[in-house]
Amino acid sequence: MKAACSVPILTLNSRPGLERLLPLLIPVFDDVFIIDGNSTDGTREYAASLGVRVEDQFTHQEPNAPIKDFSKVRERSWSFAKCDWIFYLDSDEWSTQELLQKVVEIVEVNEVKTVHEFCRKACLPGGEVVERAFFYPEYCLRLFARSSGAHLRERPVHERMILPTGVVTEKHNEFFYAQWPDPVVFWQKQKKYLALEEGARVNPSLTWFVRWGIVYNIGMLVKQSIRSFALLISSPLFSAKTLPWVYIKRFLGYRVLAMRSVYRAWSRTRNHA
């Protein structure tokens, strides 16, 4: 018997990822489907050949269109779900059997006022696995019930789940892998996120800017710096694979540039308020 859980998968020219991911998910869950951004590489056809539903990210048909508002696309994908429980994955991620079993157990218990976070491990282009990168969240919220009332704040990037009063978050040690691109592509994606931040409408209050534009980014910059250097020093003692310096440099640079992008977005929104 399959678990009563929907698994939406965000795709864009993602056939190689689906070839790895779908055979794991289809036997386990009631409702596996992709929400596709008009792929041109056979992603949609491959999913349909396995009996997986294909939904559209957009109402237009522009080939390979980029996502400009992640929260709207996420919530659009949830609206297509047939089950109350949703286990969300991107096409460049894949689950361990331990994680899938844990998801099944949680859904069967059906405590809808609890949302669940799982560990994410980075898989670098050469196949090396970084267990604790300290940049992507150590824990990533991916399993929740729609009836809990959880939703995403309306921002183009940096998705942040909003939990109603009474809903609690539980962290689990089970993990999934996330495929990272090479450093050049990685930085190109970072710059796209910065442009989206700069183009967003934000809260015009000074309190908001200080909290999110300065305190959040400086706090993250300091924490990420301390953690990354601590890992670089300690990893030889534990024979652990640490994040290569080229990625660390890009992450730290992103935090510095993010403050400028948020300031520009705030200034423009305040002037038009």
Side-chain angles (χ1 to χ4, degrees):
M1 183 176 178
K2 296 182 180 180
C5 180
S6 291
V7 187
I9 306 167
L10 196 66
T11 59
L12 178 59
N13 291 337
S14 306
R15 177 163 179 162
L18 293 185
E19 289 174 347
R20 177 181 56 229
L21 186 59
L22 291 181
L24 294 174
L25 302 175
I26 292 172
V28 179
F29 299 106
D30 263 349
D31 181 33
V32 179
F33 64 96
I34 68 170
I35 175 165
D36 187 68
N38 303 332
S39 294
T40 55
D41 71 337
T43 291
R44 302 167 73 93
E45 292 79 5
Y46 175 72
S49 72
L50 298 181
V52 170
R53 283 191 294 125
V54 178
E55 305 287 359
D56 296 323
Q57 289 178 14
F58 320 107
T59 55
H60 58 74
Q61 296 301 315
E62 178 185 348
N64 306 329
I67 298 174
K68 295 183 179 179
D69 192 326
F70 286 89
S71 62
K72 288 183 179 179
V73 172
R74 295 285 200 230
E75 292 182 345
R76 179 174 168 83
S77 72
W78 303 345
S79 71
F80 292 126
K82 295 180 178 179
C83 302
D84 187 32
W85 280 96
I86 297 178
F87 176 46
Y88 193 86
L89 288 171
D90 286 341
S91 57
D92 61 350
E93 299 168 342
W94 64 99
S95 303
T96 63
Q97 290 296 338
E98 291 80 7
L99 172 55
L100 296 183
Q101 181 58 39
K102 188 66 177 181
V103 171
V104 170
E105 293 172 0
I106 291 170
V107 171
E108 288 178 346
V109 173
N110 198 33
E111 293 180 354
V112 299
K113 289 299 183 181
T114 302
V115 298
H116 301 269
E117 294 184 346
F118 300 102
C119 300
R120 175 160 52 182
K121 296 184 179 182
C123 183
L124 301 181
E128 306 93 338
V129 173
V130 179
E131 296 203 2
R132 302 186 74 185
F134 282 128
F135 291 100
Y136 278 175
E138 278 189 80
Y139 287 91
C140 190
L141 192 155
R142 287 305 173 92
L143 179 65
F144 61 97
R146 287 186 295 177
S147 58
S148 69
H151 64 280
L152 286 167
R153 67 190 179 106
E154 292 186 5
R155 291 292 305 283
V157 293
H158 300 317
E159 303 148 60
R160 190 179 304 279
M161 187 71 76
I162 307 299
L163 304 180
T165 302
V167 176
V168 298
T169 302
E170 183 176 343
K171 293 183 177 181
H172 303 275
N173 290 324
E174 290 78 9
F175 64 89
F176 57 94
Y177 295 107
Q179 185 69 53
W180 281 24
D182 66 73
V184 173
V185 174
F186 177 79
W187 184 234
Q188 290 172 345
K189 292 178 68 175
Q190 296 283 85
K191 289 192 289 186
K192 288 181 180 178
Y193 294 153
L194 288 169
L196 287 171
E197 281 279 24
E198 197 164 310
R201 286 189 59 84
V202 299
N203 191 317
S205 73
L206 180 61
T207 301
W208 181 92
F209 171 68
V210 171
R211 179 180 178 186
W212 292 110
I214 299 178
V215 175
Y216 173 76
N217 280 292
I218 289 180
M220 290 297 293
L221 180 63
V222 171
K223 287 191 293 185
Q224 290 174 347
S225 298
I226 293 173
R227 289 173 168 178
S228 59
F229 286 116
L231 275 178
L232 287 172
I233 294 171
S234 63
S235 59
L237 299 176
F238 302 100
S239 299
K241 175 69 178 178
T242 189
L243 195 65
W245 171 248
V246 64
Y247 288 99
I248 295 175
K249 180 173 65 174
R250 295 306 188 194
F251 265 116
L252 299 181
Y254 178 87
R255 284 297 163 202
V256 174
L257 294 176
M259 284 184 275
R260 183 187 67 179
S261 295
V262 172
Y263 171 75
R264 289 178 175 176
W266 172 73
S267 297
R268 185 181 61 256
T269 303
R270 182 188 58 179
N271 291 337
H272 288 84

